Amino acid sequence: MTTENVFELDGRPLRFEDGETIFEAARRAGTAIPSLCYDPRLNAFGGCRMCVVQVEGIAKPVASCTTKITRDMVVKTTTPKVERLRKTLLEMVLSENPDRQVSADRGLAASEMNDLAQRLGVRRGRFAGATSGKSRPEDDNPFILRDYDLCISCYRCVRVCAEREGDYALGVKGRGFATQITAGFDRALGDSTCTYCGQCVQTCPTGALGDKQIMRFESLSAAPETTRTICPYCGVGCSVDLVTKGDRLVGVRPAMDGPANKGALCVKGQFAYDFVQHADRLKTPLVRNEAGELTPASWDEALDRAARGLTESIAKHGRKSVYGVASGRAPNEAAYAMQKLMRMLSGAHYIDNCSRA
Amino acid sequence: MSHQSPEDLVGHWKGAEAPLLPLLHAFQERDGYIREQALEAISQGLRIPLADLFAQVSFYHHLTLEPDGWDAPRVCDGPVCRQKGSKALLNALPGARPMACSGRCDDPIPVLRRGQLTVGLEAGGLQTRSSPLPPPPPDGVRECVFAKIREPDRATLKGYRGTGGFRGLAWALEADPDALLERLDQSGLRGRGGAGFPTAAKWRAVRDAEGDPKVIVCNADEGEPGCFKDRALLDHDPWAVIEGMLCAAFATGASLGFIYLRYEYPETYGLLEAVLEEAHREGILGEDALGPGRAFHIHLRRGAGAYICGEETALLNSLEGKHPFPRNRPPYPVTHGYRDKPTAVNNVETLASVPPILHEGAEWYRGLGCGEHSGTKLISLSGDIRRPGNYEVPLGLPLATLLEDWAGGPPEGRRIQAVTMAGLSGGFLDARDIAEVTLDDPSIRARGSFLGAGGIIVYDDSRSMRDAATDAMSFFADESCGKCFPCRIGTRRLLERLEGSAGPTAGAEWVDEVKSIGEVMQQTSACGLGQAAPLVTESLIRRFSEDVGWKHEGADPS
Ligand SMILES: Cc1cc2nc3c(=O)[nH]c(=O)nc-3n(C[C@H](O)[C@H](O)[C@H](O)COP(=O)(O)O)c2cc1C
Ligand code: SF4
Ligand code: SF4
Ligand code: SF4
Ligand code: FES
């Protein structure tokens, strides 16, 4: 018996943290145990059973994602037996869906199952039989495609919505092979508590959930490129990867390693990026002419006009006649400057920030 | 209850333990189905998300979201009732729907409608009657749990007291929890719900675990087809189960108890409600149940039609108002059970065995078995057999003795072709096994099966074993919870292969696919349902190859 937290993984000693699972420790050590229901942000679920490994002294293979390591445990992740079981199991999983390839654009994890099939050298064809999930083409919300024909009932969508987003919009209807993913009372996402954060889309391992916004550009042939940046909408500062094809912004993806968001976004950051290349987008300041119509102006003109309006108002109606609201998109420094300006200008405390709502 | 508003109903249950199932039943009884407004009121009152609540309701067979869905008769379409003609009865009753084996295999076909149970073979002949008592044992056979069950009035408190009731508990209260556990240990009593875990070890683990309150759950879900022994105990000797639970509470320090009863036993529900009410009134349960200041309360909860809720961790989720998937283990219920408190989940028969063991002693109990086997086991025997019913057999009794001598053998002119083990979960044994096997786990496991909860269904030589296997697999496919991939997909694929509706229909390829699926299910499924279901196909291939069809193709099964 050692006194340290050490166990044996495929013949090599490895340290582990208290409470760590075999799957996590292996991942840390660079051993990618196959999985389909695993998402590092979620509680281990133990549904897909692709992650089975053999533990000395236990007759049946165990699910490595739910099995916590104990000292001196001897784990083998690639015995002929577990490899055979995983392959057959994956063949069973492939058999429950129609043979249909979908674009990897649909979501961050959309190719996960197909990639795993390639990695394990598994092809379709065995275990013919009924298919399981039923797509919901009637849900015509603008953001999320519900193509459940491709669903494998891993419940990552349901769990991410509950555990990460806290919206509890999704449920598992029925049981067994008849199981279906539903929203609210089994109607459209828009009739449920869904906020269209897109988390479910990004965790789905088959493309059964698709980002309809990015899918509009599937036919553009340029290779997608990603650029890491910060979402421009609010002060939280979620990290995003902008997806471009040529000079077209086609989509936004949450950054799983974003320090502020760890893969989460809200509906605006996830889906509302059309303004960037929109024809109606403002490119210069606008000021009203004599007739009251908005006309393009230079920044100097516009700022002069604003300063005049503010000072005239204070002179005429007193210091409480003006009110400053900082944009939620402004960084702290700009918000600070804004309140300073208002206090110096009017001497009143009529100051707010739109993120407060 | 029809005058109660949703808010009243929710308010009534809100502060109670495990309020979700009783609330759903109350709304269904009030409205004839579960309306969306009811779900909204429950969601608000119990703070369960609507989508989750909707999904849970859709999981249970006996909860319905269609107007008047509760009104439709449910006809038992289990394996034994199929032998008796359940399909014809289903056709004869307007709007009838099939239900899984509802634990009345020693009676005509059960029909459940609006929470009332009748039995009969024809639409015109449905009648209400109390469930059958176990047939008397052959002369000279000594029983433990059934020893007093046939005494008149045994189900009443007076009758129970008058026939030796509460002597086990009295002994324990005189002694102490350690002495109780010691005696139970020596008796060798193991769980009778299927898994066979030593009862004393389970109770000791609960006693030693941190957490308060500690909880005793009596598992009366009895969903395994061909099993109806717990029904007999609860209907005819309910106080013995209460006494067993009190002993468990005394041994572990538990103050909270539940009986989780399957929905398909409505008379049992009524009877237990009255028994618990009386027990609380008489102080047998309550604040001073186990001595001054030592409380023990029992709450009765009904399931809603889900075999998986007999699996102890799914049962706990169901009680807690969560989606009834089994939990990942460890941690086990003994440390993290009902609301993460230390919990002993025990089968009805296990609990009812405890009082006589405590009173009569460990030696006495051990001596009831044959040879080196200790104790007894209830067997629910049904199908093609002259005297179906519940029998308490000494462990180690030859199966042939039970079938031929105790139960009268097959119907006139017939030969027994096969029996199931563990209800359906143990697959099939053939005539040769039947001649050789004894009723104890080592003997049955040596044949690749297990005794489980003790249901045995008999098939005579007029039956097709492939049909029997198809019926069995359709049960597992209907009851697979859908949590884990191997069972969710595997039960369906095996059913399709047995029906011949998809995949190879015969030959070596059929056998190859069926065996591959079976291996994955058995080795990787998350709970006992998926692990056991392929025993059906495995034993069919091994023992009834003619029925499978590959032999006619000239293919080699191995
Ligand atoms: C699918 C499935 C169904 C089960 N159904 C029951 C049941 O109806 N009643 C029961 O007592 N145990 C049932 N069990 C076993 C329980 O999980 C548990 O082992 C048992 O209640 C423990 O009690 P015991 O130790 O007294 O046997 C089931 C197990 C599985 C896997
Ligand atoms: S988009 Fe977000 S809120 Fe809506 S269902 Fe998916 S995870 Fe839940
Ligand atoms: S929709 Fe996708 S994430 Fe959700 S259960 Fe199906 S496969 Fe899993
Ligand atoms: S084996 Fe079947 S019943 Fe058990 S957890 Fe898996 S899917 Fe559910
Ligand atoms: S990753 Fe372990 S069961 Fe899915």
Side-chain angles (χ1 to χ4, degrees), chain A residues 23 33-39 44-52 63-66 159, chain B residues 485:
Chain A
F23 190 94
I33 300 174
S35 68
L36 285 171
C37 70
Y38 182 82
D39 178 325
F45 183 63
C48 74
R49 319 304 284 179
M50 287 298 298
C51 68
V52 287
S64 58
C65 71
T66 57
R159 291 180 287 132
Chain B
F485 289 26

Side-chain angles (χ1 to χ4, degrees), chain B residues 35 53 60 75 93 106 115 145 158 206-207 255 260 297 306 308 327 350 441 445 450 463 472 535:
Chain B
R35 300 154 66 111
L53 199 54
Y60 292 104
V75 176
L93 287 171
D106 51 347
V145 279
K158 191 155 167 272
V206 172
R207 186 193 63 177
S255 56
Y260 188 95
H297 298 271
I308 196 60
R327 299 176 180 173
T350 314
D441 247 329
R445 282 193 189 269
F450 63 106
R463 308 287 178 187
L535 280 182

Side-chain angles (χ1 to χ4, degrees), chain A residues 36 44-49 52 60-61 66 81 84-85 88-89 92-93 95-96 126-130 132 152-155 168-177 179 182 184-187, chain B residues 36 39-40 49-51 54-55 58-59 61 305-306 323 325 328 478-486 488-490 492-493 496-497 502-503 512-513 516-517 519-520 522-526 531:
Chain A
L36 285 171
F45 183 63
C48 74
R49 319 304 284 179
V52 287
K60 280 185 187 167
T66 57
K81 178 173 164 183
R84 179 179 72 240
L85 292 170
T88 311
L89 180 52
M92 289 164 65
V93 179
S95 80
E96 70 172 311
R126 261 182 120 196
F127 308 127
S132 54
I152 57 171
S153 297
C154 67
Y155 313 137
Y168 300 93
L170 303 179
V172 179
K173 180 186 163 191
R175 54 163 90 160
F177 199 73
T179 289
T182 53
F185 283 131
D186 198 10
R187 290 195 279 263
Chain B
E36 288 188 2
L39 290 181
E40 275 158 3
L50 259 184
F54 170 85
S58 75
F59 187 93
H61 287 320
H323 201 86
F325 284 150
N328 298 315
D478 282 347
E479 299 299 330
S480 166
C481 77
K483 172 176 177 170
C484 77
F485 289 26
R488 180 178 58 82
I489 306 169
R492 176 68 191 213
R493 290 289 177 263
E496 288 165 339
R497 272 140 195 79
D512 171 60
E513 284 205 355
S516 296
I517 296 168
E519 187 196 21
V520 166
Q522 198 241 336
Q523 292 290 317
T524 70
S525 289
Q531 291 164 9

Side-chain angles (χ1 to χ4, degrees), chain A residues 127-168:
Chain A
F127 308 127
T131 54
S132 54
K134 304 273 176 298
S135 293
R136 302 295 293 264
E138 83 286 0
D139 189 340
D140 57 1
N141 78 77
F143 304 124
I144 297 178
L145 178 77
R146 303 171 70 194
D147 198 3
Y148 298 129
D149 284 358
L150 304 173
C151 175
I152 57 171
S153 297
C154 67
Y155 313 137
R156 277 160 70 163
C157 52
V158 181
R159 291 180 287 132
V160 85
C161 188
E163 290 175 32
R164 300 295 299 187
E165 187 61 14
D167 278 343
Y168 300 93

Side-chain angles (χ1 to χ4, degrees), chain A residues 306-341:
Chain A
R308 204 163 66 230
L310 285 167
T311 43
E312 276 175 8
S313 180
I314 293 166
K316 210 160 139 194
H317 304 292
R319 59 192 184 102
K320 292 188 175 174
S321 67
V322 295
Y323 176 63
V325 186
S327 164
R329 295 167 59 177
N332 272 345
E333 294 79 355
Y336 175 81
M338 205 288 306
Q339 63 83 29
K340 190 87 176 170
L341 171 75

Side-chain angles (χ1 to χ4, degrees), chain A residues 105-339:
Chain A
D105 289 351
R106 285 192 172 194
L108 263 180
S111 329
E112 194 177 308
M113 183 176 74
N114 283 332
D115 291 349
L116 185 62
Q118 281 218 322
R119 184 179 136 204
L120 301 191
V122 170
R123 271 171 308 170
R124 290 173 182 276
R126 261 182 120 196
F127 308 127
T131 54
S132 54
K134 304 273 176 298
S135 293
R136 302 295 293 264
E138 83 286 0
D139 189 340
D140 57 1
N141 78 77
F143 304 124
I144 297 178
L145 178 77
R146 303 171 70 194
D147 198 3
Y148 298 129
D149 284 358
L150 304 173
C151 175
I152 57 171
S153 297
C154 67
Y155 313 137
R156 277 160 70 163
C157 52
V158 181
R159 291 180 287 132
V160 85
C161 188
E163 290 175 32
R164 300 295 299 187
E165 187 61 14
D167 278 343
Y168 300 93
L170 303 179
V172 179
K173 180 186 163 191
R175 54 163 90 160
F177 199 73
T179 289
Q180 302 290 330
I181 303 301
T182 53
F185 283 131
D186 198 10
R187 290 195 279 263
L189 274 175
D191 297 328
S192 74
T193 52
C194 171
T195 58
Y196 296 115
C197 71
Q199 298 269 291
C200 51
V201 174
Q202 306 300 357
T203 191
C204 178
T206 63
L209 296 174
D211 171 346
K212 281 186 183 171
Q213 293 290 306
I214 200 169
M215 286 170 69
R216 292 175 299 171
F217 303 102
E218 259 174 13
S219 58
L220 292 186
S221 56
E225 281 182 62
T226 58
T227 308
R228 173 65 54 94
T229 185
I230 302 290
C231 170
Y233 271 108
C234 84
V236 171
C238 296
S239 301
V240 293
D241 288 321
L242 299 184
V243 186
T244 48
K245 285 186 175 176
D247 58 7
R248 180 88 218 173
L249 173 64
V250 297
V252 175
R253 291 211 172 122
M256 288 299 151
D257 54 350
N261 57 319
K262 301 215 166 75
L265 289 179
C266 76
V267 59
K268 293 183 291 176
Q270 172 66 80
F271 292 118
Y273 51 85
D274 275 0
F275 73 90
V276 175
Q277 287 169 313
H278 202 283
D280 294 350
R281 183 170 173 183
L282 293 184
K283 295 185 178 106
T284 65
L286 300 177
V287 297
R288 291 193 195 278
N289 61 18
E290 313 283 84
E293 292 155 346
L294 288 168
T295 52
S298 72
W299 277 109
D300 278 346
E301 254 181 285
L303 288 171
D304 283 349
R305 177 75 77 84
R308 204 163 66 230
L310 285 167
T311 43
E312 276 175 8
S313 180
I314 293 166
K316 210 160 139 194
H317 304 292
R319 59 192 184 102
K320 292 188 175 174
S321 67
V322 295
Y323 176 63
V325 186
S327 164
R329 295 167 59 177
N332 272 345
E333 294 79 355
Y336 175 81
M338 205 288 306
Q339 63 83 29

Side-chain angles (χ1 to χ4, degrees), chain A residues 77-96:
Chain A
T77 67
T78 56
T79 65
K81 178 173 164 183
V82 293
E83 292 194 327
R84 179 179 72 240
L85 292 170
R86 284 183 200 139
K87 274 185 155 184
T88 311
L89 180 52
L90 190 51
E91 286 170 335
M92 289 164 65
V93 179
L94 293 177
S95 80
E96 70 172 311

